Amino acid sequence: MNLLENKVGLVLGVANKRSIAWACAEACHRNGALQAFSYQGDRLKENVEKLAGELPESLIVPMDVTNQAEVDAAFEAIGKKYGRLDYIIHSIAFAPREALEGDYVATTRDAFRTALEISAFSLNQVAFAAAPLMKEGGSIVTMSYYGAEKVVRNYNVMGVAKAALEASVRYLAADLGRQGIRVNAISAGPINTLSARGVKNMGSMLSYVAEKAPLQRNVEAAEVGNTALFLVSDLASGITGETIYVDCGYNIMGL
Ligand code: NDP
């Protein structure tokens, strides 16, 4: 398959080879895309360079979304190298560790602001910066989680940030649709990544979900990657503003 021939993408959120962002990037690369990658801070630079540096015509740029100058510089570099952008995979989130355990009611102002800024507002930020480069339309995909919709113990402020993210997907889709830009979220089931390990009791969450989900297992990052590939390709040309569950069916279950 070559679903993304002549397309250029930007992938945010590759921390290592287990990252959901990397699974998305691999699926898109297999389908002919050229891709830019952004990372946060020098700590991850080497990891990203090792993984993404081997892909043809890749560009690796620093982009801590709390630093607007870095965001602007990253998009300038992308414009300079490729002259266009067709899709974005936005796969980043953060909340201080202490906010991801105990009672949600005790969330501090700082933790709330940080979680919402990095995990939700950053989608606006990159959509706004990308729109002028998406001259022939485009597709933006972000990653959400069930905790946006239902209470998941310890997910706390991140659930609230994901609810904001999903609402933001709809508002952005409404604004950007006239430019032919689609915006969607994937709500992934739990996957054992670096960020996920920050959520207390992740191990028991994984086994609980595997037991209850209709498919009787946890979802794999590659399955999320394939869905992202579908959403950024023309196969999904009629889909925007949606949150699509990729969770082995867990979310449909009641009692
Ligand atoms: P990873 O830890 O692999 O990826 C998270 C990425 O977010 C990292 O690259 C991280 O960089 C980056 N990030 C954090 N803060 C910033 C910032 N200020 N600016 C730029 N990047 C930043 O974890 P996942 O692959 O699991 O997470 C990807 C997305 O998928 C997240 O939105 C997550 O909430 C979502 N998701 C994950 C699920 C799971 O179970 N794993 C389930 C459903 C959704 P750094 O390491 O430097 O902080």
Side-chain angles (χ1 to χ4, degrees), residues 159-170:
V160 176
K162 293 300 191 191
L165 181 72
E166 291 182 12
S168 206
V169 160
R170 293 185 284 273

Side-chain angles (χ1 to χ4, degrees), residues 1-7 27-34 87:
M1 277 192 299
N2 245 356
L3 292 172
L4 301 181
E5 204 166 356
N6 301 321
K7 304 263 191 205
C28 294
H29 162 65
R30 280 197 303 274
N31 278 269
L34 301 181
Y87 68 87

Side-chain angles (χ1 to χ4, degrees), residues 151-216:
V151 173
V152 174
R153 292 271 171 231
N154 297 315
Y155 201 61
N156 295 358
V157 70
M158 190 55 80
V160 176
K162 293 300 191 191
L165 181 72
E166 291 182 12
S168 206
V169 160
R170 293 185 284 273
Y171 278 89
L172 291 171
D175 281 354
L176 298 175
R178 64 182 89 95
Q179 284 172 247
I181 300 172
R182 300 180 292 104
V183 188
N184 292 288
I186 292 174
S187 185
I191 298 171
N192 205 355
T193 62
L194 198 63
S195 296
R197 274 178 236 142
V199 181
K200 209 176 166 204
N201 296 332
M202 183 66 186
S204 49
M205 193 197 275
L206 282 166
S207 38
Y208 182 86
V209 166
E211 197 181 301
K212 303 278 182 248
L215 296 183
Q216 300 277 286

Side-chain angles (χ1 to χ4, degrees), residues 9-149:
L10 164 65
V11 182
L12 289 84
V14 176
N16 56 39
K17 66 177 185 342
R18 286 171 189 265
S19 296
I20 293 174
W22 182 244
C24 297
E26 280 191 306
C28 294
H29 162 65
R30 280 197 303 274
N31 278 269
L34 301 181
Q35 300 182 102
F37 293 82
S38 68
Y39 62 89
Q40 186 228 167
D42 283 343
R43 193 171 46 88
L44 289 180
K45 188 174 179 204
E46 208 177 307
N47 270 2
V48 181
E49 279 177 349
K50 226 186 304 175
L51 287 166
E54 288 172 13
L55 304 183
E57 303 252 7
S58 61
L59 174 71
I60 298 167
V61 286
M63 197 202 299
D64 178 339
V65 293
T66 62
N67 179 343
Q68 187 60 44
E70 256 186 30
V71 177
D72 294 343
F75 279 90
E76 203 182 313
I78 291 164
K80 208 161 152 195
K81 180 167 172 80
Y82 305 105
R84 61 182 287 158
L85 193 60
D86 299 289
Y87 68 87
I88 293 182
I89 312 274
H90 171 275
S91 186
I92 64 173
F94 178 78
R97 189 176 267 266
E98 65 276 12
L100 297 175
E101 59 181 47
D103 286 347
Y104 169 66
V105 71
T107 308
T108 63
R109 183 188 303 267
D110 269 356
F112 192 96
R113 193 162 37 206
T114 301
L116 272 283
E117 181 185 358
I118 296 177
S119 316
F121 175 68
S122 62
L123 185 69
N124 283 53
Q125 234 178 336
V126 297
F128 189 74
L133 287 172
M134 293 186 159
K135 295 169 191 153
E136 293 165 33
S139 174
I140 300 173
V141 175
T142 186
M143 299 300 155
S144 192
Y145 176 61
Y146 186 65
E149 207 182 298

